[in-house]
Amino acid sequence: MGKKYLLLLAGFVSTELFAQENQTDSATSHWNFSAWAEMFIIPGEEDFFNPTFYARHEKLHLEARYNYEDRNTASLWAGRRFKFGKGVKFVFVPMAAIVFGNTNGIAPGLEVEIMYKKFDFYSESEHVFDFNTGE
């Protein structure tokens, strides 16, 4: 058995590399940046790397992904952040993307985060309208 497949004995492996969120310190510009990546090792398939980067400025949310919607496919996202709540905090980010590469199309999406004390619920959903297949 190959060395990389020994890791799979403990279950499906997704190794995540996280970059700490950084905020610029300018008085006129409040940008937040974050990047992370996942490495997927799946038996019988080609391993793939899935990096994601986002930038936020006030209510603007920008995101770039690779190998997320499909292999060898990139997507560029833009959306608006809505935040509200005191005890329980809510964040909604409706977004839209251009998808290009192995799959070409457009995608609406939504990211939702609900936070209460030390609990944090996060969900994201999207649908890709593929120009090539009409799906």
Side-chain angles (χ1 to χ4, degrees), residues 1 3 7-8 16 23 25 37 39 55 63-64 73 75 81 91 104 112 119 127:
M1 186 179 292
K3 188 175 181 180
L7 296 173
L8 295 175
E16 297 184 20
Q23 183 173 3
D25 226 5
M39 179 69 185
E63 196 167 316
T73 299
S75 58
R81 289 174 51 88
V91 178
N104 295 295
V112 176
F119 295 99
H127 182 80

Side-chain angles (χ1 to χ4, degrees), residues 5-79:
Y5 295 111
L6 291 176
L7 296 173
L8 295 175
L9 293 175
F12 180 75
V13 175
S14 172
T15 304
E16 297 184 20
L17 306 172
F18 291 96
Q20 191 174 28
E21 185 173 306
N22 295 316
Q23 183 173 3
T24 60
D25 226 5
S26 170
T28 60
S29 175
H30 299 288
W31 283 91
N32 293 319
F33 301 96
S34 184
W36 63 92
E38 299 172 316
M39 179 69 185
F40 291 90
I41 303 169
I42 304 170
E45 295 186 29
E46 184 179 341
D47 302 340
F48 66 97
F49 184 64
N50 169 232
T52 302
F53 170 81
Y54 79 72
R56 291 182 182 150
H57 178 68
E58 296 176 0
K59 295 180 181 182
L60 175 66
H61 177 90
L62 302 173
E63 196 167 316
R65 304 173 180 169
Y66 186 72
N67 282 337
Y68 192 92
E69 286 74 21
D70 192 6
R71 303 246 178 118
N72 301 313
T73 299
S75 58
L76 300 175
W77 293 82

Side-chain angles (χ1 to χ4, degrees), residues 109-128:
L110 176 66
E111 293 182 356
V112 176
E113 189 170 11
I114 303 170
M115 297 155 285
Y116 178 71
K117 296 185 180 182
K118 292 186 177 191
F119 295 99
D120 191 326
F121 171 79
Y122 175 82
S123 177
E124 62 182 64
S125 61
E126 67 179 75
H127 182 80
V128 176

